[in-house]
Amino acid sequence: MGGPEIDMGLTEVFTDDEGNHYGKKIGELLSKFAETLNRKLTARNRLQSLARNTTSKRKRRNILRFNLGSERFEALKARMKAQIRCCINHALNEIFKKAPADAYIVEELSANFLQDKKWSKRVKRLLSGWVRGIIGERLAFKAAERQVKLVKVASSYSS
């Protein structure tokens, strides 16, 4: 039994060589996460600048203590990352179920997900690197679990 070729997409987790899309929600989830991160980080930067430029020690302490909301921000990021992980796991399970094979040809996970100019470089780098790592880790785990071989090829040779 031969192996299907699967490519990482920008709006879906993977697309196979027959044109089937898996994990179509990932683009929407990543955009929502990037938008939230961008908005929150911009607000936090403004408050940190305000705290840095104030002369009152009490005002600086209160700004940093009550307005940044680090615990809530980290909890929000964790919830959004969990949604993205769930989407990735669902897509990978769907691939293995719909297209069973002994081996899968997979592009090397190096493509950027967020090509939009409206996100800051920091947000794009955070999301892109993190998502690639999660997809690579989950793909390797699920392939090993099912005793399936992964053949990685450079992305320039995959489509």
Side-chain angles (χ1 to χ4, degrees):
M1 183 165 13
E5 184 177 319
I6 51 179
D7 294 328
M8 188 187 337
L10 293 174
T11 58
E12 65 277 328
V13 178
F14 284 110
T15 302
D16 66 13
D17 52 358
E18 295 176 2
N20 298 319
H21 301 284
Y22 301 94
K24 293 178 186 176
K25 269 180 48 176
I26 194 87
E28 177 186 321
L29 288 172
L30 286 171
S31 290
K32 182 179 173 185
F33 191 27
E35 191 174 296
T36 302
L37 262 182
N38 204 37
R39 189 179 66 247
K40 294 285 186 181
L41 290 174
T42 300
R44 290 169 68 86
N45 288 343
R46 185 182 57 77
L47 287 169
Q48 286 175 339
S49 175
L50 182 65
R52 208 175 21 252
N53 295 328
T54 189
T55 55
S56 169
K57 289 182 181 181
R58 182 176 179 202
K59 185 175 180 179
R60 179 181 303 119
R61 184 182 66 237
N62 286 340
I63 289 171
L64 295 174
R65 189 173 186 196
F66 298 116
N67 291 311
L68 296 181
S70 295
E71 289 178 17
R72 287 178 60 196
F73 182 59
E74 292 302 319
L76 174 68
K77 285 191 329 188
R79 279 193 311 274
M80 295 185 99
K81 284 182 176 185
Q83 287 178 331
I84 292 169
R85 274 193 205 102
C86 182
C87 180
I88 291 168
N89 280 327
H90 181 72
L92 291 171
N93 288 335
E94 196 176 352
I95 288 172
F96 288 120
K97 184 179 175 186
K98 286 187 178 179
D102 295 332
Y104 290 89
I105 301 168
V106 182
E107 71 177 314
E108 199 62 47
L109 300 176
S110 61
N112 277 336
F113 272 97
L114 300 170
Q115 302 297 329
D116 292 344
K117 299 278 186 204
K118 65 182 178 179
W119 310 122
S120 71
K121 189 183 233 182
R122 178 180 177 197
V123 169
K124 286 192 282 189
R125 200 174 291 144
L126 270 170
L127 286 177
S128 185
W130 175 76
V131 171
R132 282 193 312 260
I134 290 294
I135 291 173
E137 182 267 325
R138 297 308 300 163
L139 181 60
F141 173 79
K142 289 185 178 288
E145 183 179 60
R146 290 169 173 80
Q147 298 175 343
V148 173
K149 185 177 177 185
L150 292 177
V151 178
K152 294 184 180 181
V153 296
S155 58
S156 57
Y157 300 108
S158 66
S159 303

